[in-house]
Amino acid sequence: MEKTCVMIKPLFDTFAQLPYQIDYAQHHFNAGNYTHLSRLTQAQLDDLTFCLKYLQKVGIKSENSFNRFRNEIEKLLLWLWFKHNCGLTSINKQLLTTYTLFCQSPDATWCTLQHNARFKLRNGERRVNENWRPFKSAVMSYESRASMFTVLNHFCDALTQAAIIKDNPVKALRKNDVILNKKNKPITRSKAINENMLRDAFARYKNDIHKMRNLFLLYLIKKKQLPLQAFSQQNAGGEPLLAHLDLTEQVLYVFDNNQLTPHRLCDIGLQIATCYKQLRGSALTVDAPLFHRERGNGSYEVRQLRRLITAMEKEIS
């Protein structure tokens, strides 16, 4: 690939701007918007176009998903181009191993201590914000690293399907990643919550499926003191399903060390669980997740679960 100058500048705008970026890419960004991308080589432009179209598909499901995937893919693409002078076709296990090590402690020039918008509107044109950087911290948290692997896995599946790479190396990397090894996995526990608050909230929200979901989550984390990670995407392959909730036995089965462990529900917990399951309805598949999403499918990230809990605590306190 032809070498180009180092350019730690944003590649992707908001979801609403993606159709325009895709159109501009077809004309090599020779228009007034995103002109910094006109310096890309043809190979880099091909990479960028593929990513733009991929992110457009992701963003249809959820804007939160789009933002998360955009951030991770942008870092990867910038690193491939300007750290290793290669592109998407070069992705393999060895290269991604090096990349994930870089992400754990990126160069200071790639980091900023505060949020900066990618682009600013100047004279009706989208112009680069020179203060923007790909990373907001010089050290990656456990949760951010787990989220990175989730995005990379999905993205590499898409690259494989498009025959851009031969196979997806992320699953093997994630399985053997030292930092995400379960022995080092931090456990998130919370202060217990007053049971009377749960009873009052139950009476208030028993007809609202979304509030009942949040209340059940709050009960499990704050009352039962179960680890938050157990209910998230970070608990890869072990996220609880609605089928793991046994109302007859009054228990919820949660994966612990790759084994389903029963956790007995107290009276108010059983009432909340029963109500929530009834609100979910009977026409559900056996692999329906324990906690439904208002948009999209699958389980939540830890940060998303925290937001649900925080919102519910504020409402009932």
Side-chain angles (χ1 to χ4, degrees):
M1 176 180 289
E2 178 188 343
K3 192 167 183 176
T4 186
C5 60
V6 174
M7 180 179 65
I8 310 175
K9 296 181 179 179
L11 304 177
F12 308 117
D13 206 337
T14 62
F15 178 67
Q17 289 293 325
L18 276 191
Y20 302 107
Q21 279 201 282
I22 293 172
D23 182 60
Y24 290 136
Q26 293 176 352
H27 300 91
H28 214 122
F29 294 98
N30 289 322
N33 293 283
Y34 316 109
T35 52
H36 67 294
L37 299 175
S38 64
R39 291 179 288 163
L40 298 179
T41 66
Q42 185 58 51
Q44 290 170 339
L45 187 63
D46 291 342
D47 285 351
L48 184 69
T49 301
F50 176 85
C51 292
L52 285 167
K53 292 178 179 179
Y54 168 79
L55 288 171
Q56 191 174 41
K57 293 178 182 178
V58 171
I60 291 174
K61 296 181 180 179
S62 156
E63 188 172 352
N64 286 335
S65 294
F66 166 76
N67 291 334
R68 173 186 168 211
F69 276 64
R70 174 192 59 182
N71 296 347
E72 295 299 339
I73 292 170
E74 191 168 49
K75 293 171 188 173
L76 174 63
L77 211 50
L78 288 170
W79 182 86
L80 287 171
W81 290 350
F82 305 123
K83 275 289 188 181
H84 276 260
N85 195 35
C86 63
L88 296 178
T89 58
S90 299
I91 289 177
N92 56 33
K93 184 177 180 181
Q94 182 178 359
L95 194 65
L96 283 188
T97 299
T98 305
Y99 171 69
T100 57
L101 290 173
F102 173 81
C103 288
Q104 192 60 37
S105 185
D107 295 350
T109 54
W110 287 58
C111 302
T112 180
L113 297 178
Q114 61 185 19
H115 172 76
N116 293 300
R118 284 172 164 74
F119 301 95
K120 293 183 176 181
L121 194 62
R122 297 172 187 164
N123 299 321
E125 296 177 352
R126 303 289 287 176
R127 296 290 186 175
V128 166
N129 180 358
E130 298 294 342
N131 294 323
W132 177 88
R133 291 295 181 271
F135 294 88
K136 294 193 182 89
S137 173
V139 178
M140 177 177 274
S141 68
Y142 173 93
E143 292 160 7
S144 295
R145 190 171 181 83
S147 178
M148 174 192 69
F149 271 102
T150 301
V151 173
L152 289 178
N153 182 54
H154 191 278
F155 182 56
C156 284
D157 275 344
L159 291 174
T160 304
Q161 292 169 10
I164 293 175
I165 60 176
K166 291 183 179 180
D167 51 48
N168 181 355
V170 178
K171 292 181 176 66
L173 285 178
R174 169 64 178 83
K175 183 178 181 180
N176 299 314
D177 188 75
V178 175
I179 296 174
L180 296 185
N181 188 290
K182 289 191 176 182
K183 292 180 180 178
N184 302 320
K185 190 174 182 179
I187 300 299
T188 302
R189 297 193 186 278
S190 308
K191 294 181 180 179
I193 191 169
N194 186 293
E195 192 168 310
N196 289 331
M197 294 176 66
L198 292 174
R199 294 186 183 281
D200 291 342
F202 172 73
R204 196 185 321 166
Y205 300 129
K206 59 184 178 181
N207 295 318
D208 188 324
I209 185 173
H210 305 316
K211 295 293 179 61
M212 196 55 60
R213 172 200 58 199
N214 298 355
L215 187 62
F216 187 31
L217 175 63
L218 182 68
Y219 164 78
L220 293 172
I221 303 303
K222 298 283 187 172
K223 183 67 176 175
K224 292 296 295 180
Q225 292 290 293
L226 296 177
L228 192 60
Q229 286 89 344
F231 302 95
S232 73
Q233 293 175 354
Q234 277 81 334
N235 191 20
E239 307 94 324
L241 305 177
L242 193 62
H244 293 155
L245 179 60
D246 189 333
L247 297 178
T248 303
E249 296 294 329
Q250 301 181 15
V251 298
L252 171 67
Y253 289 90
V254 178
F255 276 101
D256 184 16
N257 293 325
N258 295 322
Q259 291 186 337
L260 279 173
T261 303
H263 294 271
R264 183 162 294 279
L265 306 175
C266 68
D267 289 343
I268 183 59
L270 182 61
Q271 290 180 52
I272 295 171
T274 302
C275 180
Y276 177 54
K277 194 167 187 178
Q278 289 173 345
L279 290 172
R280 291 284 293 275
S282 57
L284 293 169
T285 58
V286 293
D287 60 346
L290 179 63
F291 297 115
H292 75 279
R293 300 179 70 103
E294 292 167 55
R295 293 183 63 188
N297 300 308
S299 53
Y300 289 87
E301 296 177 55
V302 167
R303 62 185 177 83
Q304 294 172 322
L305 293 173
R306 281 206 184 99
R307 282 202 293 265
L308 295 180
I309 292 173
T310 300
M312 178 53 63
E313 281 187 301
K314 287 181 180 179
E315 288 194 40
I316 69 177
S317 60

